Amino acid sequence: MPSNLNRSLIKNLDLFKSLSDAALDSILETAQVYRLLTGDAAFRQGEVADRFFVLLHGHLKVVQVTPDGEQVVVRYVNPGDVFGIARAMRRPNYPASTLAVQESLALSWPSTEWDDFTATNPHFASNALQTVGQRLHDAHARIQELSTEEVEQRVARAILRLVDQSGRQTPEGIVIDFPITRQDIAEMTGTTLHTVSRLLSAWKDRGLVISGRKRIVVCAVDNLIRLAEGPHTSTPQPTDAKV
Amino acid sequence: MPSNLNRSLIKNLDLFKSLSDAALDSILETAQVYRLLTGDAAFRQGEVADRFFVLLHGHLKVVQVTPDGEQVVVRYVNPGDVFGIARAMRRPNYPASTLAVQESLALSWPSTEWDDFTATNPHFASNALQTVGQRLHDAHARIQELSTEEVEQRVARAILRLVDQSGRQTPEGIVIDFPITRQDIAEMTGTTLHTVSRLLSAWKDRGLVISGRKRIVVCAVDNLIRLAEGPHTSTPQPTDAKV
DNA sequence: CGTCCCGTTGATCCCTATCAAATGTAGTGG
DNA sequence: CCACTACATTTGATAGGGATCAACGGGACG
């Protein structure tokens, strides 16, 4: 029972929205605090999904390993996000590993309590459905990108998404607020670190980004958006044709 | 209120599992029957998601259109599947179109009744979460394939999945039990109809499949599984080395 | 101050998209 | 029943985007 946690912070999380104060207290009663150092895993792919989590602070990445050892980054977990809810979807094991990319703090409960939570508060299950629905939507967007777009568009989109979720304004531009490598971006977009490096170099030359070791700053968001939208094969501009 | 529907058929659907007979009756009371001819849409991408559905008979395909007109097949809907539940995930519009690829029959309810259903039966929401969880799992598997595998593997996998879901045994082999084109498979796997055609031709020469206009029969499932697993870059066989 | 990890950059190759055209098949209407 | 049409499929030729192979450079951390 973590006593010194900021209750209002937790109260505003999507998952717990519209829970009564009493219900919230009772839930927090059984929460366990997880402190993760960079590189630590909250859980690993294949393990029995016996706990679920809410991230309070820091950033995690969710990675899937293929049978022949290649990795795919499924998503990044931001503060406020729920993760590790495999059991709620009746999947016995975690489908991916979740690793801290910086020092992070999470709350966690035994998966067995999920049903209690949903029984206690009808909104809980509905909120979860919404969350998973959002993830499904994101996954479909990604499938569409992988199926129809070129590497440069995909990388541009991936970076824009990161900026959107975890961007912090600086004098130079918007920086992605946690350490991220070329390899990570390659694993998000289905390409290689070499290609990502070349793209970032090219963009740097054009003044769109600044980037260094595990660090990316976007200077010209608009231009990046244009890249993400592709080569504009033929947008027939109706100039001044009469209707 | 469709009176002549086989109740036991509906009773066994995942979504309605463990509903009381009374609850089921009350739900069926408000169901509307949809008859769809080949090519008909249950709904179209972008429309307000005002109804949800259960497929009783036939096959539908769910397609997303990109801004520049390319199509992606999201999945096929099989008898017993729920579809069109965007609203339950709090998405106001359908994210894709759902088209009949053969004559089909579905039940449908107004999205507004979803909440009544879940309130009436606590298992309902949980079942839905499981369903969406399965779809998320499938989507991630597909992302992994698109990111790390070659076209031949992906096409092999796609066909195996179709065989699994909708295969019917025939003297020649297992046939995919609804009309499907090279283009459809290309849109499932992120490639072109040309490449799919070449692959199927090659497989036909090797005796793995028989295929014609909108028709695919798998003769040698095992060989196809081997293809799906890839070039086996280096499975170091420990022959008889001592440990 | 050395070592590890991350990033950069060149050279080469090949898978697969693209372009192009012919063939085959179901359906339709006269 | 056959000609006509629309759509599916096949197959060849070509080119190019990116993966792969290879090597070096550079910053961070112990």
Side-chain angles (χ1 to χ4, degrees):
Chain A
M1 53 195 115
S3 53
N4 61 340
L5 289 172
N6 187 338
R7 183 146 311 166
S8 73
L9 195 155
I10 294 158
K11 198 180 222 158
N12 287 322
L13 300 185
D14 276 350
L15 191 66
F16 297 136
K17 243 170 207 161
S18 66
L19 255 69
S20 73
D21 281 4
L24 192 63
D25 281 353
S26 129
I27 281 173
L28 288 179
E29 201 71 17
T30 62
Q32 211 172 94
V33 178
Y34 269 55
R35 263 170 248 281
L36 301 170
L37 301 181
T38 304
D40 286 354
F43 51 80
R44 291 186 181 281
Q45 183 172 349
E47 286 177 3
V48 171
D50 55 356
R51 304 192 71 84
F52 67 93
F53 303 78
V54 169
L55 185 63
L56 296 182
H57 178 78
H59 282 95
L60 315 178
K61 75 172 170 182
V62 182
V63 294
Q64 250 182 347
V65 184
T66 70
D68 47 76
E70 281 191 275
Q71 295 205 343
V72 174
V73 173
V74 175
R75 67 189 176 104
Y76 277 86
V77 180
N78 297 299
D81 289 351
V82 192
F83 63 100
I85 56 173
R87 195 58 163 278
M89 308 179 217
R90 311 223 192 118
R91 312 211 131 258
N93 306 309
Y94 296 117
S97 302
T98 298
L99 312 170
V101 297
Q102 61 184 187
E103 203 178 333
S104 299
L105 190 67
L107 289 185
S108 144
W109 295 265
S111 294
T112 49
E113 288 192 23
W114 180 273
D115 291 333
D116 298 345
F117 286 16
T118 56
T120 308
N121 191 299
H123 283 286
F124 196 86
S126 169
N127 287 345
L129 193 55
Q130 176 181 20
T131 298
V132 179
Q134 175 65 48
R135 288 193 206 163
L136 186 61
H137 184 81
D138 294 346
H140 282 152
R142 203 161 150 193
I143 287 169
Q144 181 179 300
E145 290 170 22
L146 285 164
S147 298
T148 67
E149 294 181 353
E150 312 225 313
V151 172
E152 185 168 41
Q153 297 179 61
R154 302 205 303 264
V155 173
R157 265 192 225 285
I159 290 178
L160 285 170
R161 224 174 282 135
L162 291 171
V163 160
D164 225 48
Q165 293 170 0
S166 318
R168 185 169 48 80
Q169 191 62 243
T170 74
E172 303 167 310
I174 307 176
V175 60
I176 295 175
D177 212 12
F178 55 83
I180 186 165
T181 67
R182 312 287 186 258
Q183 178 72 37
D184 290 326
I185 293 173
E187 287 171 4
M188 296 177 72
T189 53
T191 179
T192 64
L193 75 160
H194 306 274
T195 298
V196 173
S197 178
R198 279 183 239 273
L199 285 171
L200 286 177
S201 293
W203 294 349
K204 188 193 290 188
D205 293 344
R206 291 165 59 187
L208 304 189
V209 301
I210 301 168
S211 77
R213 192 187 172 87
K214 293 193 176 185
R215 184 164 173 281
I216 296 173
V217 188
V218 177
C219 307
V221 180
D222 299 351
N223 297 40
L224 212 54
I225 291 175
R226 220 160 297 135
L227 279 180
E229 286 172 350
H232 280 260
T233 37
S234 68
T235 312
Q237 294 179 344
T239 52
D240 56 343
K242 283 187 183 177
V243 189
Chain B
M1 53 194 115
S3 52
N4 60 339
L5 289 171
N6 187 339
R7 184 146 310 168
S8 73
L9 196 155
I10 293 157
K11 197 181 223 158
N12 288 323
L13 301 186
D14 274 351
L15 191 66
F16 297 137
K17 242 170 207 160
S18 67
L19 254 70
S20 72
D21 281 4
L24 192 64
D25 281 354
S26 129
I27 281 172
L28 288 180
E29 200 71 16
T30 61
Q32 209 170 96
V33 178
Y34 269 53
R35 265 170 245 280
L36 301 169
L37 301 180
T38 303
D40 286 354
F43 51 80
R44 292 187 180 279
Q45 183 171 351
E47 286 176 5
V48 172
D50 56 356
R51 304 191 72 84
F52 67 94
F53 304 79
V54 169
L55 185 63
L56 296 182
H57 178 79
H59 282 95
L60 315 178
K61 73 173 170 182
V62 182
V63 294
Q64 249 181 347
V65 184
T66 71
D68 47 75
E70 282 192 273
Q71 295 205 345
V72 174
V73 173
V74 175
R75 66 190 177 103
Y76 277 87
V77 180
N78 297 300
D81 289 351
V82 191
F83 63 101
I85 57 173
R87 195 56 165 278
M89 307 179 218
R90 314 229 188 113
R91 313 211 131 257
N93 306 308
Y94 296 117
S97 302
T98 299
L99 312 169
V101 298
Q102 59 184 189
E103 201 178 335
S104 299
L105 190 67
L107 290 184
S108 143
W109 295 265
S111 295
T112 49
E113 288 192 25
W114 181 272
D115 291 334
D116 298 347
F117 285 16
T118 57
T120 307
N121 192 299
H123 282 286
F124 197 86
S126 168
N127 287 345
L129 192 55
Q130 177 181 19
T131 299
V132 178
Q134 175 65 49
R135 286 191 207 165
L136 186 61
H137 183 81
D138 294 347
H140 283 153
R142 203 160 151 194
I143 287 170
Q144 181 179 300
E145 290 170 21
L146 285 164
S147 298
T148 67
E149 295 180 352
E150 310 224 313
V151 173
E152 185 169 40
Q153 296 179 61
R154 303 204 304 263
V155 173
R157 265 192 224 286
I159 289 178
L160 284 170
R161 222 171 286 135
L162 291 170
V163 160
D164 225 48
Q165 293 170 1
S166 318
R168 185 168 49 80
Q169 190 63 243
T170 73
E172 304 165 309
I174 308 176
V175 61
I176 296 175
D177 213 11
F178 55 84
I180 186 164
T181 66
R182 311 288 185 258
Q183 177 73 37
D184 290 327
I185 293 173
E187 288 171 4
M188 297 177 70
T189 53
T191 180
T192 63
L193 76 160
H194 306 274
T195 298
V196 174
S197 177
R198 279 183 237 273
L199 285 171
L200 286 177
S201 293
W203 294 349
K204 187 191 292 187
D205 292 346
R206 292 165 57 187
L208 305 189
V209 302
I210 302 168
S211 76
R213 191 189 172 88
K214 294 193 176 183
R215 183 163 174 283
I216 295 174
V217 188
V218 177
C219 308
V221 180
D222 299 351
N223 296 39
L224 212 54
I225 290 175
R226 218 159 299 136
L227 280 180
E229 286 172 350
H232 279 261
T233 37
S234 69
T235 312
Q237 293 179 347
T239 52
D240 56 342
K242 283 189 183 175
V243 189

